[in-house]
């Protein structure tokens, strides 16, 4: 097998003509800007306008928004997974755990699109979801280390991290440019509430399947709904 003969997800790849490759690069660059500014609710047509290409060109390169999202945020998901690996190398389990939460929430605050990505699931973007799974598995180990060190409350559940991301996304969306650092305070409040000994018991955590359904429903609603700008 020759190098570059397959996509990361295993589908056969055909080399693009130079103009097609330029268009693809322009679309991805434009989508980074649009999604970072407006989140994943931005229309494909708005990305096409930002890139200076026609909507037909857009859909030839990326037939669905999910494919575009996967192309735009693959490197962000890599960085997210790498943050878990860095945290696991920290000799202080609590510092590693809290540092990971701060890093992940900071990534949300810095990029509106990635803020959305962390609270969604993309079943057809296999490479990106594999990296998410890798990050999740590392995060479970982080939780175990912090609990074993006696620093993390025993009733913290891995699903609580998704709730933290959802809450942080709400703060980022609500505050916007008016209070761009507000996320730091809410994350500090979260972290202080997580430290052992706990002041009191927590309500039951949501079932993992329920959290997964919530993230899947969010992605389907945000990515496959009608694109009001893609008329004509």
């Amino acid at each position: 097998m020759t190098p570059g003969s397959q996509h990361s997800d295993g589908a056969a790849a055909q080399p693009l003509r130079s103009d097609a490759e330029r268009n693809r690069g322009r679309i991805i660059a434009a989508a980074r800007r649009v999604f970072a500014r407006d989140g994943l609710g931005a229309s494909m047509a708005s990305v096409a306008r930002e890139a200076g290409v026609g909507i037909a060109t857009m859909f030839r390169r990326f037939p669905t928004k999910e494919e575009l999202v996967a192309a735009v945020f693959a490197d962000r998901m890599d960085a997210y997974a790498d943050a878990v690996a860095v945290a696991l190398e920290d000799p202080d389990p609590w510092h590693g755990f809290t540092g990971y939460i701060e890093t992940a929430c900071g990534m949300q605050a810095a990029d509106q699109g990635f803020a959305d990505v962390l609270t969604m699931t993309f079943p057809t973007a296999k490479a990106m979801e594999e990296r998410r799974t890798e990050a999740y598995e590392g995060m479970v180990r982080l939780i175990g280390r912090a609990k074993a060190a006696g620093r993390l409350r025993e009733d913290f559940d891995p699903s609580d991290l998704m709730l933290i991301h959802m809450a942080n996304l709400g703060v980022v969306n609500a505050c916007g440019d008016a209070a761009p650092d507000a996320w730091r305070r809410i994350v500090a409040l979260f972290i202080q509430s997580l430290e052992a000994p706990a002041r009191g018991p927590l309500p039951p955590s949501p079932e993992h399947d329920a959290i997964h359904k919530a993230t899947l429903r969010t992605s389907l609603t945000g990515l496959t709904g009608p694109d009001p700008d893609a008329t004509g």
Side-chain angles (χ1 to χ4, degrees):
M1 182 183 298
T2 58
S5 61
Q6 287 191 335
H7 288 304
S8 59
D9 287 345
Q14 296 295 328
L16 296 175
R17 301 188 318 271
S18 59
D19 59 336
E21 185 59 45
R22 282 194 300 272
N23 282 339
R24 186 177 191 278
R26 289 167 64 187
I27 291 168
I28 291 175
R32 286 187 192 278
R33 296 190 296 271
V34 172
F35 291 153
R37 182 183 67 232
D38 302 329
L40 298 191
S43 68
M44 293 283 272
S46 67
V47 174
R49 286 194 296 270
E50 180 80 13
V53 301
I55 194 67
T57 297
M58 162 71 76
F59 281 107
R60 278 198 298 273
R61 297 278 70 83
F62 298 99
T64 68
K65 188 186 282 189
E66 187 163 308
E67 291 179 62
L68 179 59
V69 168
V72 169
F73 292 106
D75 60 339
R76 304 292 201 278
M77 190 59 73
D78 285 343
Y80 176 70
D82 290 345
V84 181
V86 169
L88 284 168
E89 293 173 357
D90 194 314
D92 182 333
W94 178 248
H95 185 265
F97 174 73
T98 59
Y100 162 70
I101 291 177
E102 290 169 347
T103 297
C105 289
M107 292 176 70
Q108 282 187 295
D111 187 324
Q112 178 66 59
F114 192 68
D116 291 337
V117 166
L118 281 186
T119 62
M120 296 181 179
T121 302
F122 304 94
T124 65
K126 292 182 173 57
M128 190 165 73
E129 289 305 309
E130 285 171 2
R131 288 295 269 165
R132 189 198 303 274
T133 298
E134 178 186 330
Y136 175 83
E137 292 171 350
M139 183 267 295
V140 170
R141 294 197 296 275
L142 277 176
I143 291 172
R145 291 175 72 230
K147 286 183 177 180
R151 299 296 305 280
L152 177 62
R153 57 186 302 154
E154 283 295 326
D155 55 356
F156 184 84
D157 186 86
S159 65
D160 292 328
L161 185 65
M162 181 55 68
L163 296 180
I164 289 173
H165 283 319
M166 289 177 174
N168 188 52
L169 173 61
V171 170
V172 170
N173 283 339
C175 293
D177 293 338
D181 291 330
W183 71 273
R184 297 183 186 277
R185 185 173 179 86
I186 194 68
V187 169
L189 289 170
F190 286 143
I191 288 173
Q192 290 180 32
S193 72
L194 298 178
E195 192 167 9
R199 297 288 298 272
L202 294 171
S205 62
E207 295 291 334
H208 290 207
D209 285 349
I211 290 291
H212 177 72
K213 287 178 182 177
T215 61
L216 182 59
R217 183 172 62 248
T218 302
S219 66
L220 291 176
T221 300
L223 298 185
T224 63
D227 188 343
D229 292 336
T231 57

